[in-house]
PDB file of all heavy atoms in Angstrom:
ATOM      1  N   ASP E  28     -11.082  -4.044  -2.310  1.00 95.00           N
ATOM      2  CA  ASP E  28      -9.809  -3.378  -2.021  1.00 95.00           C
ATOM      3  C   ASP E  28      -8.637  -4.321  -2.267  1.00 95.00           C
ATOM      4  O   ASP E  28      -8.689  -5.509  -1.955  1.00 95.00           O
ATOM      5  CB  ASP E  28      -9.769  -2.901  -0.582  1.00 95.00           C
ATOM      6  CG  ASP E  28     -10.748  -1.774  -0.317  1.00 95.00           C
ATOM      7  OD1 ASP E  28     -11.407  -1.300  -1.260  1.00 95.00           O
ATOM      8  OD2 ASP E  28     -10.851  -1.362   0.857  1.00 95.00           O
ATOM      9  N   MET E  29      -7.563  -3.778  -2.816  1.00 95.00           N
ATOM     10  CA  MET E  29      -6.308  -4.491  -2.965  1.00 95.00           C
ATOM     11  C   MET E  29      -5.212  -3.614  -2.392  1.00 95.00           C
ATOM     12  O   MET E  29      -5.279  -2.385  -2.481  1.00 95.00           O
ATOM     13  CB  MET E  29      -6.015  -4.807  -4.432  1.00 95.00           C
ATOM     14  CG  MET E  29      -7.099  -5.600  -5.124  1.00 95.00           C
ATOM     15  SD  MET E  29      -6.683  -6.074  -6.832  1.00 95.00           S
ATOM     16  CE  MET E  29      -5.574  -7.462  -6.526  1.00 95.00           C
ATOM     17  N   GLY E  30      -4.209  -4.236  -1.798  1.00 96.00           N
ATOM     18  CA  GLY E  30      -3.176  -3.434  -1.173  1.00 96.00           C
ATOM     19  C   GLY E  30      -1.868  -4.163  -0.983  1.00 96.00           C
ATOM     20  O   GLY E  30      -1.740  -5.348  -1.306  1.00 96.00           O
ATOM     21  N   TRP E  31      -0.907  -3.413  -0.452  1.00 98.00           N
ATOM     22  CA  TRP E  31       0.436  -3.906  -0.210  1.00 98.00           C
ATOM     23  C   TRP E  31       0.832  -3.661   1.241  1.00 98.00           C
ATOM     24  O   TRP E  31       0.554  -2.585   1.796  1.00 98.00           O
ATOM     25  CB  TRP E  31       1.451  -3.231  -1.133  1.00 98.00           C
ATOM     26  CG  TRP E  31       1.268  -3.570  -2.580  1.00 98.00           C
ATOM     27  CD1 TRP E  31       0.552  -2.878  -3.509  1.00 98.00           C
ATOM     28  CD2 TRP E  31       1.824  -4.689  -3.260  1.00 98.00           C
ATOM     29  NE1 TRP E  31       0.621  -3.500  -4.726  1.00 98.00           N
ATOM     30  CE2 TRP E  31       1.396  -4.618  -4.606  1.00 98.00           C
ATOM     31  CE3 TRP E  31       2.639  -5.752  -2.873  1.00 98.00           C
ATOM     32  CZ2 TRP E  31       1.766  -5.569  -5.565  1.00 98.00           C
ATOM     33  CZ3 TRP E  31       2.997  -6.693  -3.816  1.00 98.00           C
ATOM     34  CH2 TRP E  31       2.562  -6.590  -5.137  1.00 98.00           C
ATOM     35  N   TYR E  32       1.475  -4.651   1.827  1.00 98.00           N
ATOM     36  CA  TYR E  32       2.059  -4.561   3.154  1.00 98.00           C
ATOM     37  C   TYR E  32       3.525  -4.989   3.058  1.00 98.00           C
ATOM     38  O   TYR E  32       3.927  -5.632   2.089  1.00 98.00           O
ATOM     39  CB  TYR E  32       1.314  -5.466   4.134  1.00 98.00           C
ATOM     40  CG  TYR E  32      -0.105  -5.023   4.436  1.00 98.00           C
ATOM     41  CD1 TYR E  32      -1.109  -5.141   3.475  1.00 98.00           C
ATOM     42  CD2 TYR E  32      -0.432  -4.504   5.679  1.00 98.00           C
ATOM     43  CE1 TYR E  32      -2.407  -4.738   3.746  1.00 98.00           C
ATOM     44  CE2 TYR E  32      -1.736  -4.102   5.960  1.00 98.00           C
ATOM     45  CZ  TYR E  32      -2.711  -4.229   4.987  1.00 98.00           C
ATOM     46  OH  TYR E  32      -3.992  -3.832   5.275  1.00 98.00           O
ATOM     47  N   ARG E  33       4.303  -4.638   4.073  1.00 98.00           N
ATOM     48  CA  ARG E  33       5.690  -5.072   4.082  1.00 98.00           C
ATOM     49  C   ARG E  33       6.112  -5.434   5.497  1.00 98.00           C
ATOM     50  O   ARG E  33       5.573  -4.925   6.474  1.00 98.00           O
ATOM     51  CB  ARG E  33       6.619  -4.008   3.497  1.00 98.00           C
ATOM     52  CG  ARG E  33       6.740  -2.730   4.324  1.00 98.00           C
ATOM     53  CD  ARG E  33       7.545  -1.690   3.566  1.00 98.00           C
ATOM     54  NE  ARG E  33       7.749  -0.464   4.317  1.00 98.00           N
ATOM     55  CZ  ARG E  33       8.314   0.626   3.833  1.00 98.00           C
ATOM     56  NH1 ARG E  33       8.734   0.652   2.573  1.00 98.00           N
ATOM     57  NH2 ARG E  33       8.454   1.702   4.599  1.00 98.00           N
ATOM     58  N   GLN E  34       7.090  -6.315   5.571  1.00 98.00           N
ATOM     59  CA  GLN E  34       7.590  -6.788   6.852  1.00 98.00           C
ATOM     60  C   GLN E  34       9.102  -6.928   6.785  1.00 98.00           C
ATOM     61  O   GLN E  34       9.622  -7.740   6.027  1.00 98.00           O
ATOM     62  CB  GLN E  34       6.944  -8.116   7.240  1.00 98.00           C
ATOM     63  CG  GLN E  34       7.287  -8.596   8.631  1.00 98.00           C
ATOM     64  CD  GLN E  34       6.440  -9.777   9.057  1.00 98.00           C
ATOM     65  OE1 GLN E  34       5.840 -10.452   8.221  1.00 98.00           O
ATOM     66  NE2 GLN E  34       6.382 -10.030  10.341  1.00 98.00           N
ATOM     67  N   ALA E  35       9.802  -6.125   7.581  1.00 96.00           N
ATOM     68  CA  ALA E  35      11.246  -6.205   7.692  1.00 96.00           C
ATOM     69  C   ALA E  35      11.616  -7.233   8.759  1.00 96.00           C
ATOM     70  O   ALA E  35      10.809  -7.558   9.627  1.00 96.00           O
ATOM     71  CB  ALA E  35      11.828  -4.839   8.044  1.00 96.00           C
ATOM     72  N   PRO E  36      12.847  -7.760   8.729  1.00 91.00           N
ATOM     73  CA  PRO E  36      13.248  -8.741   9.730  1.00 91.00           C
ATOM     74  C   PRO E  36      13.058  -8.230  11.155  1.00 91.00           C
ATOM     75  O   PRO E  36      13.473  -7.120  11.485  1.00 91.00           O
ATOM     76  CB  PRO E  36      14.734  -8.966   9.413  1.00 91.00           C
ATOM     77  CG  PRO E  36      14.851  -8.663   7.961  1.00 91.00           C
ATOM     78  CD  PRO E  36      13.900  -7.522   7.727  1.00 91.00           C
ATOM     79  N   GLY E  37      12.409  -9.023  11.985  1.00 93.00           N
ATOM     80  CA  GLY E  37      12.175  -8.657  13.369  1.00 93.00           C
ATOM     81  C   GLY E  37      11.102  -7.618  13.582  1.00 93.00           C
ATOM     82  O   GLY E  37      10.921  -7.165  14.716  1.00 93.00           O
ATOM     83  N   LYS E  38      10.386  -7.238  12.529  1.00 95.00           N
ATOM     84  CA  LYS E  38       9.362  -6.202  12.633  1.00 95.00           C
ATOM     85  C   LYS E  38       7.983  -6.771  12.314  1.00 95.00           C
ATOM     86  O   LYS E  38       7.849  -7.863  11.771  1.00 95.00           O
ATOM     87  CB  LYS E  38       9.657  -5.043  11.670  1.00 95.00           C
ATOM     88  CG  LYS E  38      11.000  -4.384  11.882  1.00 95.00           C
ATOM     89  CD  LYS E  38      11.051  -3.612  13.174  1.00 95.00           C
ATOM     90  CE  LYS E  38      12.361  -2.853  13.297  1.00 95.00           C
ATOM     91  NZ  LYS E  38      12.416  -2.048  14.549  1.00 95.00           N
ATOM     92  N   GLN E  39       6.946  -6.009  12.676  1.00 96.00           N
ATOM     93  CA  GLN E  39       5.583  -6.375  12.326  1.00 96.00           C
ATOM     94  C   GLN E  39       5.315  -6.077  10.852  1.00 96.00           C
ATOM     95  O   GLN E  39       6.034  -5.312  10.214  1.00 96.00           O
ATOM     96  CB  GLN E  39       4.585  -5.600  13.191  1.00 96.00           C
ATOM     97  CG  GLN E  39       4.648  -5.905  14.672  1.00 96.00           C
ATOM     98  CD  GLN E  39       3.543  -5.205  15.432  1.00 96.00           C
ATOM     99  OE1 GLN E  39       2.553  -5.840  15.799  1.00 96.00           O
ATOM    100  NE2 GLN E  39       3.696  -3.916  15.645  1.00 96.00           N
ATOM    101  N   ARG E  40       4.264  -6.678  10.344  1.00 97.00           N
ATOM    102  CA  ARG E  40       3.834  -6.405   8.989  1.00 97.00           C
ATOM    103  C   ARG E  40       3.056  -5.085   8.965  1.00 97.00           C
ATOM    104  O   ARG E  40       2.065  -4.922   9.689  1.00 97.00           O
ATOM    105  CB  ARG E  40       2.956  -7.542   8.464  1.00 97.00           C
ATOM    106  CG  ARG E  40       2.619  -7.427   6.985  1.00 97.00           C
ATOM    107  CD  ARG E  40       1.889  -8.678   6.490  1.00 97.00           C
ATOM    108  NE  ARG E  40       2.703  -9.874   6.620  1.00 97.00           N
ATOM    109  CZ  ARG E  40       2.337 -11.066   6.169  1.00 97.00           C
ATOM    110  NH1 ARG E  40       1.178 -11.217   5.549  1.00 97.00           N
ATOM    111  NH2 ARG E  40       3.137 -12.109   6.335  1.00 97.00           N
ATOM    112  N   ASP E  41       3.503  -4.132   8.144  1.00 97.00           N
ATOM    113  CA  ASP E  41       2.932  -2.797   8.117  1.00 97.00           C
ATOM    114  C   ASP E  41       2.274  -2.506   6.785  1.00 97.00           C
ATOM    115  O   ASP E  41       2.712  -2.966   5.733  1.00 97.00           O
ATOM    116  CB  ASP E  41       4.010  -1.738   8.377  1.00 97.00           C
ATOM    117  CG  ASP E  41       4.572  -1.787   9.779  1.00 97.00           C
ATOM    118  OD1 ASP E  41       3.809  -2.112  10.715  1.00 97.00           O
ATOM    119  OD2 ASP E  41       5.763  -1.487   9.946  1.00 97.00           O
ATOM    120  N   PHE E  42       1.241  -1.682   6.843  1.00 98.00           N
ATOM    121  CA  PHE E  42       0.532  -1.226   5.647  1.00 98.00           C
ATOM    122  C   PHE E  42       1.419  -0.309   4.817  1.00 98.00           C
ATOM    123  O   PHE E  42       2.143   0.530   5.354  1.00 98.00           O
ATOM    124  CB  PHE E  42      -0.737  -0.493   6.069  1.00 98.00           C
ATOM    125  CG  PHE E  42      -1.420   0.231   4.950  1.00 98.00           C
ATOM    126  CD1 PHE E  42      -2.213  -0.444   4.037  1.00 98.00           C
ATOM    127  CD2 PHE E  42      -1.275   1.601   4.809  1.00 98.00           C
ATOM    128  CE1 PHE E  42      -2.843   0.216   3.002  1.00 98.00           C
ATOM    129  CE2 PHE E  42      -1.908   2.274   3.780  1.00 98.00           C
ATOM    130  CZ  PHE E  42      -2.690   1.583   2.877  1.00 98.00           C
ATOM    131  N   VAL E  43       1.345  -0.440   3.489  1.00 98.00           N
ATOM    132  CA  VAL E  43       2.101   0.411   2.574  1.00 98.00           C
ATOM    133  C   VAL E  43       1.153   1.239   1.697  1.00 98.00           C
ATOM    134  O   VAL E  43       1.250   2.466   1.658  1.00 98.00           O
ATOM    135  CB  VAL E  43       3.043  -0.404   1.678  1.00 98.00           C
ATOM    136  CG1 VAL E  43       3.765   0.512   0.684  1.00 98.00           C
ATOM    137  CG2 VAL E  43       4.052  -1.179   2.525  1.00 98.00           C
ATOM    138  N   ALA E  44       0.255   0.578   0.969  1.00 98.00           N
ATOM    139  CA  ALA E  44      -0.638   1.278   0.051  1.00 98.00           C
ATOM    140  C   ALA E  44      -1.827   0.391  -0.289  1.00 98.00           C
ATOM    141  O   ALA E  44      -1.740  -0.845  -0.208  1.00 98.00           O
ATOM    142  CB  ALA E  44       0.102   1.664  -1.237  1.00 98.00           C
ATOM    143  N   SER E  45      -2.933   1.011  -0.678  1.00 98.00           N
ATOM    144  CA  SER E  45      -4.112   0.259  -1.073  1.00 98.00           C
ATOM    145  C   SER E  45      -4.867   1.014  -2.159  1.00 98.00           C
ATOM    146  O   SER E  45      -4.674   2.215  -2.352  1.00 98.00           O
ATOM    147  CB  SER E  45      -5.038  -0.007   0.116  1.00 98.00           C
ATOM    148  OG  SER E  45      -5.564   1.198   0.628  1.00 98.00           O
ATOM    149  N   ILE E  46      -5.749   0.287  -2.837  1.00 97.00           N
ATOM    150  CA  ILE E  46      -6.552   0.880  -3.899  1.00 97.00           C
ATOM    151  C   ILE E  46      -7.890   0.171  -3.954  1.00 97.00           C
ATOM    152  O   ILE E  46      -7.976  -1.051  -3.862  1.00 97.00           O
ATOM    153  CB  ILE E  46      -5.810   0.809  -5.256  1.00 97.00           C
ATOM    154  CG1 ILE E  46      -6.610   1.517  -6.350  1.00 97.00           C
ATOM    155  CG2 ILE E  46      -5.479  -0.633  -5.634  1.00 97.00           C
ATOM    156  CD1 ILE E  46      -5.804   1.739  -7.623  1.00 97.00           C
ATOM    157  N   THR E  47      -8.972   0.936  -4.098  1.00 95.00           N
ATOM    158  CA  THR E  47     -10.304   0.369  -4.177  1.00 95.00           C
ATOM    159  C   THR E  47     -10.614  -0.069  -5.599  1.00 95.00           C
ATOM    160  O   THR E  47      -9.844   0.167  -6.532  1.00 95.00           O
ATOM    161  CB  THR E  47     -11.361   1.373  -3.713  1.00 95.00           C
ATOM    162  OG1 THR E  47     -11.406   2.486  -4.623  1.00 95.00           O
ATOM    163  CG2 THR E  47     -11.047   1.898  -2.319  1.00 95.00           C
ATOM    164  N   SER E  48     -11.775  -0.695  -5.782  1.00 89.00           N
ATOM    165  CA  SER E  48     -12.149  -1.187  -7.097  1.00 89.00           C
ATOM    166  C   SER E  48     -12.355  -0.067  -8.111  1.00 89.00           C
ATOM    167  O   SER E  48     -12.209  -0.301  -9.310  1.00 89.00           O
ATOM    168  CB  SER E  48     -13.426  -2.035  -7.005  1.00 89.00           C
ATOM    169  OG  SER E  48     -14.498  -1.291  -6.472  1.00 89.00           O
ATOM    170  N   ASP E  49     -12.677   1.145  -7.645  1.00 89.00           N
ATOM    171  CA  ASP E  49     -12.864   2.266  -8.565  1.00 89.00           C
ATOM    172  C   ASP E  49     -11.663   3.198  -8.615  1.00 89.00           C
ATOM    173  O   ASP E  49     -11.731   4.276  -9.210  1.00 89.00           O
ATOM    174  CB  ASP E  49     -14.126   3.054  -8.221  1.00 89.00           C
ATOM    175  CG  ASP E  49     -14.078   3.690  -6.844  1.00 89.00           C
ATOM    176  OD1 ASP E  49     -13.105   3.485  -6.125  1.00 89.00           O
ATOM    177  OD2 ASP E  49     -15.047   4.400  -6.503  1.00 89.00           O
ATOM    178  N   GLY E  50     -10.551   2.811  -7.986  1.00 93.00           N
ATOM    179  CA  GLY E  50      -9.311   3.541  -8.160  1.00 93.00           C
ATOM    180  C   GLY E  50      -8.911   4.503  -7.070  1.00 93.00           C
ATOM    181  O   GLY E  50      -7.885   5.195  -7.208  1.00 93.00           O
ATOM    182  N   SER E  51      -9.654   4.601  -5.977  1.00 97.00           N
ATOM    183  CA  SER E  51      -9.256   5.458  -4.867  1.00 97.00           C
ATOM    184  C   SER E  51      -8.066   4.848  -4.142  1.00 97.00           C
ATOM    185  O   SER E  51      -8.061   3.653  -3.844  1.00 97.00           O
ATOM    186  CB  SER E  51     -10.410   5.657  -3.895  1.00 97.00           C
ATOM    187  OG  SER E  51     -11.482   6.329  -4.524  1.00 97.00           O
ATOM    188  N   THR E  52      -7.056   5.662  -3.835  1.00 98.00           N
ATOM    189  CA  THR E  52      -5.819   5.162  -3.246  1.00 98.00           C
ATOM    190  C   THR E  52      -5.573   5.717  -1.859  1.00 98.00           C
ATOM    191  O   THR E  52      -6.081   6.782  -1.487  1.00 98.00           O
ATOM    192  CB  THR E  52      -4.608   5.493  -4.146  1.00 98.00           C
ATOM    193  OG1 THR E  52      -4.535   6.914  -4.330  1.00 98.00           O
ATOM    194  CG2 THR E  52      -4.756   4.835  -5.505  1.00 98.00           C
ATOM    195  N   HIS E  53      -4.775   4.981  -1.102  1.00 98.00           N
ATOM    196  CA  HIS E  53      -4.370   5.386   0.239  1.00 98.00           C
ATOM    197  C   HIS E  53      -2.937   4.911   0.451  1.00 98.00           C
ATOM    198  O   HIS E  53      -2.588   3.803   0.058  1.00 98.00           O
ATOM    199  CB  HIS E  53      -5.303   4.780   1.290  1.00 98.00           C
ATOM    200  CG  HIS E  53      -4.967   5.177   2.689  1.00 98.00           C
ATOM    201  ND1 HIS E  53      -5.195   6.437   3.172  1.00 98.00           N
ATOM    202  CD2 HIS E  53      -4.405   4.472   3.708  1.00 98.00           C
ATOM    203  CE1 HIS E  53      -4.801   6.505   4.421  1.00 98.00           C
ATOM    204  NE2 HIS E  53      -4.316   5.308   4.764  1.00 98.00           N
ATOM    205  N   TYR E  54      -2.122   5.767   1.084  1.00 98.00           N
ATOM    206  CA  TYR E  54      -0.721   5.459   1.280  1.00 98.00           C
ATOM    207  C   TYR E  54      -0.293   5.665   2.715  1.00 98.00           C
ATOM    208  O   TYR E  54      -0.776   6.581   3.395  1.00 98.00           O
ATOM    209  CB  TYR E  54       0.166   6.338   0.394  1.00 98.00           C
ATOM    210  CG  TYR E  54      -0.041   6.149  -1.076  1.00 98.00           C
ATOM    211  CD1 TYR E  54      -0.923   6.948  -1.782  1.00 98.00           C
ATOM    212  CD2 TYR E  54       0.672   5.179  -1.781  1.00 98.00           C
ATOM    213  CE1 TYR E  54      -1.112   6.782  -3.151  1.00 98.00           C
ATOM    214  CE2 TYR E  54       0.494   5.001  -3.138  1.00 98.00           C
ATOM    215  CZ  TYR E  54      -0.394   5.814  -3.815  1.00 98.00           C
ATOM    216  OH  TYR E  54      -0.565   5.645  -5.171  1.00 98.00           O
ATOM    217  N   ALA E  55       0.631   4.842   3.161  1.00 98.00           N
ATOM    218  CA  ALA E  55       1.324   5.113   4.411  1.00 98.00           C
ATOM    219  C   ALA E  55       2.198   6.350   4.230  1.00 98.00           C
ATOM    220  O   ALA E  55       2.630   6.664   3.115  1.00 98.00           O
ATOM    221  CB  ALA E  55       2.174   3.917   4.816  1.00 98.00           C
ATOM    222  N   ASP E  56       2.472   7.051   5.321  1.00 97.00           N
ATOM    223  CA  ASP E  56       3.297   8.250   5.231  1.00 97.00           C
ATOM    224  C   ASP E  56       4.664   7.962   4.613  1.00 97.00           C
ATOM    225  O   ASP E  56       5.201   8.782   3.861  1.00 97.00           O
ATOM    226  CB  ASP E  56       3.484   8.867   6.618  1.00 97.00           C
ATOM    227  CG  ASP E  56       2.227   9.540   7.140  1.00 97.00           C
ATOM    228  OD1 ASP E  56       1.321   9.824   6.321  1.00 97.00           O
ATOM    229  OD2 ASP E  56       2.149   9.779   8.351  1.00 97.00           O
ATOM    230  N   SER E  57       5.218   6.802   4.894  1.00 96.00           N
ATOM    231  CA  SER E  57       6.523   6.448   4.382  1.00 96.00           C
ATOM    232  C   SER E  57       6.541   6.236   2.866  1.00 96.00           C
ATOM    233  O   SER E  57       7.600   6.283   2.243  1.00 96.00           O
ATOM    234  CB  SER E  57       7.037   5.171   5.068  1.00 96.00           C
ATOM    235  OG  SER E  57       6.163   4.087   4.843  1.00 96.00           O
ATOM    236  N   ALA E  58       5.357   6.021   2.279  1.00 96.00           N
ATOM    237  CA  ALA E  58       5.256   5.743   0.851  1.00 96.00           C
ATOM    238  C   ALA E  58       4.830   6.947   0.031  1.00 96.00           C
ATOM    239  O   ALA E  58       5.051   6.981  -1.189  1.00 96.00           O
ATOM    240  CB  ALA E  58       4.271   4.604   0.611  1.00 96.00           C
ATOM    241  N   LYS E  59       4.229   7.938   0.654  1.00 96.00           N
ATOM    242  CA  LYS E  59       3.707   9.090  -0.062  1.00 96.00           C
ATOM    243  C   LYS E  59       4.804   9.823  -0.835  1.00 96.00           C
ATOM    244  O   LYS E  59       5.879  10.080  -0.310  1.00 96.00           O
ATOM    245  CB  LYS E  59       3.025  10.060   0.906  1.00 96.00           C
ATOM    246  CG  LYS E  59       1.744   9.538   1.505  1.00 96.00           C
ATOM    247  CD  LYS E  59       1.144  10.550   2.479  1.00 96.00           C
ATOM    248  CE  LYS E  59      -0.134  10.017   3.090  1.00 96.00           C
ATOM    249  NZ  LYS E  59      -0.701  10.966   4.085  1.00 96.00           N
ATOM    250  N   GLY E  60       4.511  10.130  -2.095  1.00 96.00           N
ATOM    251  CA  GLY E  60       5.444  10.859  -2.927  1.00 96.00           C
ATOM    252  C   GLY E  60       6.472  10.002  -3.613  1.00 96.00           C
ATOM    253  O   GLY E  60       7.164  10.474  -4.525  1.00 96.00           O
ATOM    254  N   ARG E  61       6.603   8.737  -3.222  1.00 98.00           N
ATOM    255  CA  ARG E  61       7.581   7.836  -3.822  1.00 98.00           C
ATOM    256  C   ARG E  61       6.952   6.606  -4.457  1.00 98.00           C
ATOM    257  O   ARG E  61       7.439   6.125  -5.467  1.00 98.00           O
ATOM    258  CB  ARG E  61       8.603   7.380  -2.777  1.00 98.00           C
ATOM    259  CG  ARG E  61       9.399   8.514  -2.146  1.00 98.00           C
ATOM    260  CD  ARG E  61      10.524   7.965  -1.254  1.00 98.00           C
ATOM    261  NE  ARG E  61      10.002   7.133  -0.173  1.00 98.00           N
ATOM    262  CZ  ARG E  61      10.390   5.891   0.067  1.00 98.00           C
ATOM    263  NH1 ARG E  61      11.318   5.317  -0.696  1.00 98.00           N
ATOM    264  NH2 ARG E  61       9.874   5.219   1.087  1.00 98.00           N
ATOM    265  N   PHE E  62       5.891   6.094  -3.848  1.00 98.00           N
ATOM    266  CA  PHE E  62       5.237   4.879  -4.329  1.00 98.00           C
ATOM    267  C   PHE E  62       3.902   5.221  -4.977  1.00 98.00           C
ATOM    268  O   PHE E  62       3.218   6.170  -4.558  1.00 98.00           O
ATOM    269  CB  PHE E  62       4.981   3.901  -3.180  1.00 98.00           C
ATOM    270  CG  PHE E  62       6.218   3.341  -2.529  1.00 98.00           C
ATOM    271  CD1 PHE E  62       7.486   3.721  -2.925  1.00 98.00           C
ATOM    272  CD2 PHE E  62       6.086   2.412  -1.508  1.00 98.00           C
ATOM    273  CE1 PHE E  62       8.622   3.198  -2.323  1.00 98.00           C
ATOM    274  CE2 PHE E  62       7.207   1.874  -0.900  1.00 98.00           C
ATOM    275  CZ  PHE E  62       8.472   2.265  -1.302  1.00 98.00           C
ATOM    276  N   THR E  63       3.519   4.431  -5.977  1.00 98.00           N
ATOM    277  CA  THR E  63       2.240   4.590  -6.636  1.00 98.00           C
ATOM    278  C   THR E  63       1.572   3.228  -6.776  1.00 98.00           C
ATOM    279  O   THR E  63       2.153   2.311  -7.345  1.00 98.00           O
ATOM    280  CB  THR E  63       2.384   5.233  -8.021  1.00 98.00           C
ATOM    281  OG1 THR E  63       3.018   6.506  -7.915  1.00 98.00           O
ATOM    282  CG2 THR E  63       1.006   5.414  -8.666  1.00 98.00           C
ATOM    283  N   VAL E  64       0.352   3.098  -6.252  1.00 98.00           N
ATOM    284  CA  VAL E  64      -0.398   1.869  -6.385  1.00 98.00           C
ATOM    285  C   VAL E  64      -1.435   2.036  -7.488  1.00 98.00           C
ATOM    286  O   VAL E  64      -2.055   3.102  -7.614  1.00 98.00           O
ATOM    287  CB  VAL E  64      -1.066   1.463  -5.055  1.00 98.00           C
ATOM    288  CG1 VAL E  64      -2.090   2.492  -4.599  1.00 98.00           C
ATOM    289  CG2 VAL E  64      -1.687   0.089  -5.148  1.00 98.00           C
ATOM    290  N   SER E  65      -1.603   1.024  -8.310  1.00 97.00           N
ATOM    291  CA  SER E  65      -2.573   1.060  -9.396  1.00 97.00           C
ATOM    292  C   SER E  65      -3.126  -0.341  -9.601  1.00 97.00           C
ATOM    293  O   SER E  65      -2.652  -1.304  -9.006  1.00 97.00           O
ATOM    294  CB  SER E  65      -1.933   1.590 -10.683  1.00 97.00           C
ATOM    295  OG  SER E  65      -0.858   0.763 -11.095  1.00 97.00           O
ATOM    296  N   ARG E  66      -4.141  -0.451 -10.456  1.00 96.00           N
ATOM    297  CA  ARG E  66      -4.731  -1.766 -10.709  1.00 96.00           C
ATOM    298  C   ARG E  66      -5.300  -1.844 -12.109  1.00 96.00           C
ATOM    299  O   ARG E  66      -5.638  -0.828 -12.731  1.00 96.00           O
ATOM    300  CB  ARG E  66      -5.828  -2.095  -9.681  1.00 96.00           C
ATOM    301  CG  ARG E  66      -7.050  -1.193  -9.747  1.00 96.00           C
ATOM    302  CD  ARG E  66      -7.954  -1.430  -8.541  1.00 96.00           C
ATOM    303  NE  ARG E  66      -8.624  -2.730  -8.597  1.00 96.00           N
ATOM    304  CZ  ARG E  66      -9.223  -3.296  -7.545  1.00 96.00           C
ATOM    305  NH1 ARG E  66      -9.221  -2.678  -6.369  1.00 96.00           N
ATOM    306  NH2 ARG E  66      -9.817  -4.479  -7.688  1.00 96.00           N
ATOM    307  N   ASP E  67      -5.396  -3.057 -12.600  1.00 94.00           N
ATOM    308  CA  ASP E  67      -6.011  -3.355 -13.877  1.00 94.00           C
ATOM    309  C   ASP E  67      -7.151  -4.316 -13.569  1.00 94.00           C
ATOM    310  O   ASP E  67      -6.921  -5.505 -13.334  1.00 94.00           O
ATOM    311  CB  ASP E  67      -5.002  -3.975 -14.837  1.00 94.00           C
ATOM    312  CG  ASP E  67      -5.561  -4.205 -16.229  1.00 94.00           C
ATOM    313  OD1 ASP E  67      -6.787  -4.349 -16.375  1.00 94.00           O
ATOM    314  OD2 ASP E  67      -4.764  -4.258 -17.192  1.00 94.00           O
ATOM    315  N   ASN E  68      -8.374  -3.817 -13.554  1.00 91.00           N
ATOM    316  CA  ASN E  68      -9.511  -4.636 -13.166  1.00 91.00           C
ATOM    317  C   ASN E  68      -9.771  -5.780 -14.147  1.00 91.00           C
ATOM    318  O   ASN E  68     -10.241  -6.844 -13.738  1.00 91.00           O
ATOM    319  CB  ASN E  68     -10.765  -3.770 -13.027  1.00 91.00           C
ATOM    320  CG  ASN E  68     -10.714  -2.868 -11.822  1.00 91.00           C
ATOM    321  OD1 ASN E  68     -10.048  -3.165 -10.829  1.00 91.00           O
ATOM    322  ND2 ASN E  68     -11.431  -1.738 -11.890  1.00 91.00           N
TER     323      ASN E  68
END
């Protein structure tokens, strides 16, 4: 699995998006419809 997290000033580090080795993706609600995670194996 590979993924992205983000941390704003004074905030915890939160999950954004992830992708498995075969391309299955998962998104935080805040990212759905706007962000796209992909990979080049």
